[in-house]
Every structure is written in C-alpha cells, then in structure tokens.
Amino acid sequence: MYHKFIISCFVVTWTSLGLWSGSENIGQLKSTQNALRADTIRKDTLKPTLIGLQRDTTFKPDTVIKTEVRIGDLSYLSVCPGSPVLIPFTTAGTFKEDNKFIVQITNASGKFVNLSEPAKEGPVAVTLPTNRSGSVLVRVVSTNPEIISKPTRLTILPLPHARMELIDGSTNTKIGPGQAASYRVMLTGAAPWSFTVSDGTTVTNTLVNPFTAQVAPEQTSSFKVTSVNNTCGSGTTSGEVVVQVSQDTLPVIALKAIPRVGFRLCTATPFQINFSATGKYEAGNGFIVQLSDTTGQNFKNISELIPQSPIMAKTPAGLEPGIYKLRVVSTFPTIMSDTVDVAISAPAKTVLRRDTLQIAEGESTNLTLDFSGGGPWFVLLSDGTYQNDIRTTPYTVKVSPLNPTAYTITSAGGFCGVGDLSGTAFVNVKIPPPTIATGNLSDKTICSGTEITVPFSTTGRFNNANKFLVQIKDTSGRWVYLPTIGGTSSLRAKILPPYLKDTLSTQQVRVISTDPLIEGTPTTLQVMMPNAAQALVTGGAVIRPGGAARLRVSFKNGLPPWSFVLSDGTTINGTFINPYQLTVNPRTTTEYKVVMVNNTCGTGTTDTVPAVIRVETN
C-alpha cells in the first residue's frame, strides 16, 4: 500500500521538474496513475480503509511545463528574394543536449523545406530563396524532441518585370508619316522602377504604372524594353511593339479593342474608345466620338475633340434603354469609322414585397424581391443577408430570424451600380414559452454525499443572466437548493445528510431556472444515509487451551454488504449474512471487539461492549 504512495509522489515530482514533456509522456503519466488507482480500488474491496494517513495521488497538471518553440512574428516584413533575414524564436520546456533548431519555409507546392543549417539557439540567420515571391510561411522545428512551431507569414517581394504593348493592349499598329503611336509599359514588383527602351529612351525611378509614352518612327520599327530594375535588382522583360509606317495617303479610322458583343454602358457613364488612324490628315485635324439614336441614325457628339487615340466619351443622361450605334469621326478630312453596337442599360430598381410572414422558432422563410433595369443584380438586406449575380426576377431570399424582424433593403443595384430600392417585409417568429423537464437519473440508489448528474431539457428561451440550479425536498417537504455545478444540458450536485429522514429514503429532485423563474418536473431517487451501519460482537465463553469458541457479529441500520475488522485483526469483506458467525481459537483469555465497520455508504459505528473468551488452564 505504501510503496504505491511513494511511486505516485515520484511520478508527480518528476513531472513538476519538467523531465516529462509532450502529449505522449502526459498520456503515460495518466496511464500510470489510472493503474495505481485501479489497483488501490481492488485492494480496498478486500481490506477496509483505516482512518489515518492518506496518500495524495492527485495529478497536478499545472506543474507540467510544455515543451514548445515559438517563432517571432514576421508578417510585417516585405523582403527582396535572396536577402539575408534573422529568424527570431523562443523556447519553453526542456530540450535534449544534442537538440538543434532548423528554419523551414514553404516551397512552390506549399510543402515545408529546410532553409537553414541546424543551430543550437536563435535567432537563426537565413538567406531567402531567389526563385520565390509573394506570401510564404516560415517555421522553426527542433530535432530532440521533435517540436514544430506555429508558422508565421513573410512576404517576399517579386523581382521587377516590364511588359511593353500598345495603349489598347495590342502589339501591332499602323500610322501615317509624321504620326505617333502610343504605347504603355506594364510594371510589376515593388516601385519605383527604372527601365530602358530599345530606342534609347530611359526612365528613372518612376512610380507611374502603367507608364505611357509615344513613338513616331520615320519607317516601320519595333520597340521593346531591354532592361528593368527596382530596389530588389534587375528583372525580366517581355512584349514587343511593331509600328508600321504607311505611305498611303488615304486616311482610315479603325475601332480597336471592341468587346465581342459590343459595348454595354449605363447613362451618364464615362468610357474609353481606342482606335487607329492611318493615312495622311490635314493640319488641325481631330477625332470625336458620336452616338446614334435607337434607330441607328441621327448621330450626336458625346466627347471632346481629341488629336489622337484613345478618346474618353460619356453617354448622355436620360437615355432610354436600348441598342445604339457608336463611331469615331475625324474633322480634316471628315472620315468615319465603322459603327459598333452599344447597349444602354437603365439603373436598377429593387422592390421588397410587403409581406407579413409567420414561422416557428428555428424555421426559415423566403422573402420575395422584384428587380428591373440592367442586371445581373445584387441586394443587401437589413439583417446582413447578401446575394449577388441575380439573373431572374422575381427572386426569393431565405432568412432565418431568431426574433420577430422587420426587413428592409440596405443596398441593391445592378449593372449600373446602386439603384432605387423600396419595400418592407415582416417575419413573426412564434417563440414557445420556457419549460424545463428534469430527466431520469442514471443511478436510482446513491449514498448521501455522492455527486449526482441531473440531466434536463428545455423549450423556449431564457435570458442571458439565467442560471439553472438543482433543488431537493427537505425533511419538511420544502424545495431547497443544492450546491450546483454545470451547464445547459446537465448539472452536478451533492445530496447531503440534513435532507434525509432515514437510513434509506426516497428523495425528489428537480431543475429550476432563475431568469425567468421556471420550475422543472421532479424526478425521484433512493438515498442511503452515511455512517448508519452498526456492529455488535457477542458470544463470550470459557474454553480449555487449544479449544475453540463461536462469535456472532450482528449488524443494524445499514444496508449490506458489510465489511468489518475485529480487535484481533480478523477481517471480513462484503458479507450479506446477519448475524455473521466465526470461530476463534485464542491461546489466552481475549476480548473481542469490532474496531471498524463499513458498508456501501462508508464507515459506521461499533459497540464498545466486548465479547470475552476466557481460556482456563486448571
């Protein structure tokens, strides 16, 4: 018995010193303690538990120092590829003497790979890979024991890249003698950028992206970016622009970058038109955008006069929805491009139907919305419900309110942005009254002082300040509170002796709430009084040396099985016999007393009158 006490104390002390770490060691510790407790329980069923020195096998988890590695936060860093970086980290718990720390980073497929050589302590200096960019994860792992830190995010800036193209995204254009072609350089990576174009143009430390410029070659030529740099060093280039110089004198205007299905616009909305103008134009020439009526006739100007592509135009306010024609016209000479269809969409209107709906608690219902104007549409309701890419009308939105709710539209619109919105719908939620049903207990017979679990179920709603408590009927029939621990589906409480009338009594238990005050249905159980068992030994006699005598141990006020110990050390465990008879063979005159008795509910009381067996030698 005492050697188990020493082992248990040794285990707890070992843990508190940090010699055990990790979930595996903690699991082994718990398994050891469970085995000790199980063995102790088996021994206690064979021998009575004497009052006196008690061993403490309680496991104290707060004495365990968890072994872990914590990496520092690097999410604020934006670093160039190939740069050196110090990776800070801290540790807790105990590591082996041969332990090393290794920094790891995610590769292109998202898997962690080693970034550093093994190190004894932090911080660890690493060099970032030159072929990575964007957001990566970095972590620190230890080798003995194998511990992995939580990852931190680090941003690797991309090397610069410059792509050259014409202003409309194409790579070939035709101009007349003396005309200019516009191009742009699309830049990626961190600003500012410096780059050089094949015609010798050099741009230094620009923050403009895309960067636009013009070239006016005398003959057909090609242009490209030959080099690009930023703070992270030299980058890569792509794209090439071919500018053809036509000697034709006949001017031609061609629309460019036209959507496959034509333009779709809203009223009073600015938009850009790209075109190419080849041939020879007179001095003072300009270009202007024109829009027809719904018949495809009667063109009107909708832009300012601009000397070259592109042109910013704006649809007139108040246009009726429909299909219109668009073209670009030059002034000297007057030349017109081909026409392209333009679909004008009306601003959206969204109406929430004025319904009054009723649902049970926990159910859902549908609100109906009517849309008009250019779609697809979107809607945001007053409860935060959001739907987009809506292409049918009317349209239903499912809602699941917890309480009676009036719904309105917070925002809604379509292709042309936020439009007109109106309507209110009310959803009434039928909330049942609060009730409590106390469930049946798993153990129908218990000892006083035993902690019981009281299950219960509820309907309706209870306020945030509400608490659920356990009550028991006392000896006068009044409901009184028991000390209660628990949550929303089961409670734990102890039934104490002051509420008991007899050795074995039927008790009523129930669960109540405090806000609102609701009384649950009661349930019953049998409770046995502790310390109720009594034992008396009888059977005094006179015997000769070597003779034997019979003793009787009688029990009362307690429920079997009983266990008892006599003053001579005789121990009987778990008997249902009352009275219990046994034979003794004392060598000398002996007084026999019951020194301890217990049953299911604990230790009972003994009679002080002994049974005397006298041994006479005469």
Side-chain angles (χ1 to χ4, degrees):
M1 170 172 162
Y2 293 104
H3 72 278
K4 292 187 179 64
F5 170 61
I6 294 170
I7 291 173
S8 178
C9 293
F10 175 69
V11 171
V12 174
T13 303
W14 194 10
T15 305
S16 65
L17 291 175
L19 298 179
W20 285 25
S21 64
S23 60
E24 178 181 354
N25 291 333
I26 293 174
Q28 294 172 353
L29 175 58
K30 291 182 178 178
S31 299
T32 302
Q33 289 183 320
N34 290 337
L36 292 177
R37 292 193 184 100
D39 187 54
T40 302
I41 291 171
R42 290 193 296 271
K43 291 295 182 62
D44 287 346
T45 60
L46 298 175
K47 294 184 180 180
T49 303
L50 297 177
I51 299 175
L53 179 62
Q54 300 292 317
R55 67 181 185 274
D56 181 9
T57 60
T58 304
F59 174 58
K60 302 177 177 58
D62 56 347
T63 63
V64 177
I65 301 176
K66 181 180 180 182
T67 303
E68 59 181 335
V69 180
R70 305 185 190 97
I71 192 170
D73 181 23
L74 303 175
S75 60
Y76 63 92
L77 284 181
S78 295
V79 190
C80 292
S83 300
V85 177
L86 278 179
I87 307 299
F89 63 91
T90 60
T91 62
T94 303
F95 295 83
K96 301 296 183 181
E97 182 65 27
D98 60 346
N99 177 67
K100 297 294 179 63
F101 297 98
I102 301 173
V103 177
Q104 295 184 332
I105 190 173
T106 50
N107 60 18
S109 62
K111 295 182 179 179
F112 280 95
V113 296
N114 292 347
L115 185 62
S116 73
E117 296 296 325
K120 290 292 292 182
E121 59 185 11
V124 177
V126 300
T127 299
L128 297 178
T130 57
N131 60 347
R132 292 300 313 279
S133 64
S135 181
V136 298
L137 294 178
V138 178
R139 70 184 186 186
V140 176
V141 299
S142 63
T143 59
N144 196 1
E146 295 182 2
I147 305 294
I148 301 176
S149 74
K150 290 184 178 179
T152 184
R153 195 168 296 278
L154 173 67
T155 300
I156 301 180
L157 297 172
L159 290 171
H161 179 80
R163 185 180 83 252
M164 175 178 277
E165 60 188 27
L166 292 172
I167 202 72
D168 60 359
S170 62
T171 58
N172 288 273
T173 189
K174 182 183 290 186
I175 62 174
Q179 292 183 328
S182 298
Y183 69 86
R184 63 187 180 191
V185 178
M186 309 293 289
L187 299 161
T188 58
W193 300 273
S194 298
F195 62 90
T196 301
V197 182
S198 56
D199 66 349
T201 301
T202 299
V203 178
T204 304
N205 293 331
T206 181
L207 299 174
V208 178
N209 185 25
F211 183 90
T212 59
Q214 290 183 331
V215 289
E218 296 180 356
Q219 58 186 4
T220 299
S221 304
S222 62
F223 303 88
K224 62 182 179 180
V225 177
T226 56
S227 65
V228 61
N229 296 272
N230 69 354
T231 55
C232 290
S234 299
T236 56
T237 64
S238 64
E240 184 176 18
V241 169
V242 176
V243 180
Q244 296 178 339
V245 180
S246 174
Q247 302 302 319
D248 299 335
T249 57
L250 180 65
V252 176
I253 303 173
L255 298 179
K256 302 182 69 175
I258 304 300
R260 183 173 58 85
V261 294
F263 288 99
R264 186 182 180 189
L265 304 171
C266 299
T267 58
T269 302
F271 62 100
Q272 178 178 287
I273 291 295
N274 295 290
F275 65 94
S276 64
T278 58
K280 186 175 182 179
Y281 293 85
E282 300 175 13
N285 176 66
F287 301 92
I288 198 165
V289 178
Q290 294 182 335
L291 187 70
S292 73
D293 58 19
T294 54
T295 66
Q297 305 297 320
N298 304 317
F299 283 86
K300 294 183 179 180
N301 297 341
I302 59 170
S303 74
E304 299 292 332
L305 192 65
I306 300 298
Q308 61 190 16
S309 178
I311 301 178
M312 289 301 300
K314 184 177 181 180
T315 56
L319 281 180
E320 291 293 330
I323 303 298
Y324 294 76
K325 298 290 186 181
L326 180 144
R327 68 187 183 188
V328 174
V329 179
S330 63
T331 55
F332 301 106
T334 302
I335 301 296
M336 294 170 288
S337 70
D338 293 334
T339 61
V340 63
D341 288 340
V342 176
I344 301 297
S345 295
K349 291 184 179 180
T350 309
V351 178
L352 175 59
R353 291 188 184 179
R354 298 182 180 275
D355 293 330
T356 298
L357 307 170
Q358 185 163 286
I359 61 173
E361 185 177 29
E363 291 183 350
S364 301
T365 189
N366 290 323
L367 305 181
T368 303
L369 296 157
D370 294 307
F371 295 96
S372 61
W377 304 283
F378 68 90
V379 64
L380 174 65
L381 298 181
S382 53
D383 70 335
T385 300
Y386 177 75
Q387 296 282 323
N388 65 355
D389 197 27
I390 300 170
R391 298 178 181 272
T392 60
T393 184
Y395 184 80
T396 58
V397 176
K398 179 180 288 187
V399 293
S400 304
L402 298 176
N403 299 294
T405 304
Y407 289 88
T408 58
I409 301 175
T410 301
S411 180
F415 178 79
C416 294
V418 176
D420 295 334
L421 45 97
S422 62
T424 301
F426 182 77
V427 179
N428 183 38
V429 181
K430 296 183 292 184
I431 302 172
T435 64
I436 302 174
T438 306
N440 292 325
L441 305 181
S442 58
D443 294 327
K444 285 296 186 179
T445 303
I446 66 168
C447 297
S448 175
T450 300
E451 184 177 84
I452 61 172
T453 298
V454 183
F456 67 98
S457 59
T458 64
T459 62
R461 298 185 184 179
F462 297 83
N463 298 324
N464 291 335
N466 174 66
K467 293 183 179 179
F468 293 104
L469 301 171
V470 177
Q471 287 187 327
I472 189 173
K473 274 192 176 180
D474 64 10
T475 54
S476 64
R478 296 178 306 163
W479 288 101
V480 295
Y481 290 101
L482 290 175
T484 304
I485 302 173
T488 58
S489 61
S490 66
L491 303 173
R492 302 194 306 277
K494 285 186 178 181
I495 298 181
L496 305 176
Y499 307 125
L500 307 179
K501 296 179 180 180
D502 203 349
T503 301
L504 180 65
S505 60
T506 300
Q507 300 296 130
Q508 284 192 314
V509 176
R510 72 181 182 185
V511 175
I512 72 161
S513 62
T514 59
D515 190 7
L517 179 60
I518 303 296
E519 298 175 353
T521 56
T523 188
T524 61
L525 75 161
Q526 302 291 321
V527 182
M528 289 186 290
M529 179 84 74
N531 304 324
Q534 296 184 20
L536 171 66
V537 61
T538 59
V542 178
I543 63 173
R544 301 292 294 173
R550 298 281 287 177
L551 296 179
R552 289 161 48 111
V553 179
S554 303
F555 306 100
K556 64 178 182 177
N557 293 341
L559 296 177
W562 298 277
S563 299
F564 65 91
V565 178
L566 295 182
S567 55
D568 69 341
T570 300
T571 300
I572 302 298
N573 287 315
T575 180
F576 286 83
I577 301 173
N578 186 16
Y580 185 88
Q581 299 189 38
L582 68 163
T583 301
V584 294
N585 304 92
R587 295 182 178 181
T588 60
T589 298
T590 304
E591 292 184 351
Y592 291 89
K593 297 180 181 179
V594 178
V595 296
M596 191 198 72
V597 62
N598 60 26
N599 64 355
T600 307
C601 291
T603 303
T605 60
T606 61
D607 198 313
T608 58
V609 179
V612 180
I613 305 299
R614 188 177 301 280
V615 181
E616 293 185 352
T617 58
N618 295 330

